[in-house]
Amino acid sequence: MTMPGPLFEAPRQAPWLAPYWEGLGVGELRLPRCSVCGRWEWYPVESGPACPDGHYVWEAVGPLATVFTCTRVDRPLLPGITQSYMTGLIVTDRAPDCRIAALFDESAGPVSIGARVRLSISGAGESAFPYFTLESMS
Ligand SMILES: [Zn+2]
C-alpha cells in the first residue's frame, strides 16, 4: 500500500496543534513537553500541560519509533474509505512515554508489534501527513 495522502481530513484547525503540523511541513515530527517539569505530553490539550504555569515547548523527536500495537482495518469504518489499511500506536525513541496514533505503509515489509519504523511524510507544507514504514535493517 502506498500513501498518496491522508485517509481522512486531519484536525488542523486546533491552534494548539499548529506546531505539530508546522513540524511535519518541514519534515519533522515534533511533540510537546511541559515547560515546567519537562514531561512529554501526547495528546496535547487546549488548556496546556497539567503543571500550573506550564506551557508546551515543542521539540523534534526524530524519525525513528517502535510499534507499540497495530491492527489491520479491513472493514470500511469511515465514509469514503474503502481500502484496507494498517494502523496502530507508535512510541518514538526520544519520547517513549507518548503513544501516538499512526498509519503504516507496509510496502517495505509487514509491520508488527515491536517493529522499528521510520517517519515518512506524504505531501508538503500545509498538506503534509505522517505515516510510518518499516525501518530498513541494512
Ligand atoms: Zn509539567
Side-chain angles (χ1 to χ4, degrees):
M1 174 177 163
T2 57
M3 295 289 163
L7 292 175
F8 53 87
E9 190 59 37
R12 295 172 194 262
Q13 69 276 17
W16 63 95
L17 289 175
Y20 172 79
W21 295 110
E22 290 166 4
L24 289 175
V26 296
E28 292 181 342
L29 178 61
R30 295 177 184 166
L31 298 179
R33 301 180 85 158
C34 172
S35 64
V36 174
C37 69
R39 194 181 101 185
W40 296 98
E41 292 195 16
W42 189 259
Y43 189 84
V45 294
E46 184 175 12
S47 59
C51 287
D53 302 323
H55 63 274
Y56 291 130
V57 177
W58 292 77
E59 296 180 21
V61 295
L64 295 175
T66 301
V67 177
F68 180 79
T69 188
C70 56
T71 189
R72 180 172 311 286
V73 179
D74 289 321
R75 296 181 184 202
L77 298 175
L78 297 171
I81 300 174
T82 56
Q83 69 187 96
S84 171
Y85 60 94
M86 194 72 164
T87 186
L89 298 174
I90 55 108
V91 292
T92 66
D93 290 2
R94 186 153 180 234
D97 295 335
C98 296
R99 296 174 187 164
I100 303 164
L103 188 62
F104 300 110
D105 171 10
E106 295 189 291
S107 62
V111 170
S112 60
I113 293 171
R116 297 285 291 159
V117 290
R118 176 178 289 275
L119 173 70
S120 294
I121 297 173
S122 68
E126 293 186 359
S127 64
F129 191 83
Y131 64 97
F132 288 82
T133 57
L134 196 64
E135 171 69 349
S136 169
M137 294 299 163
S138 59

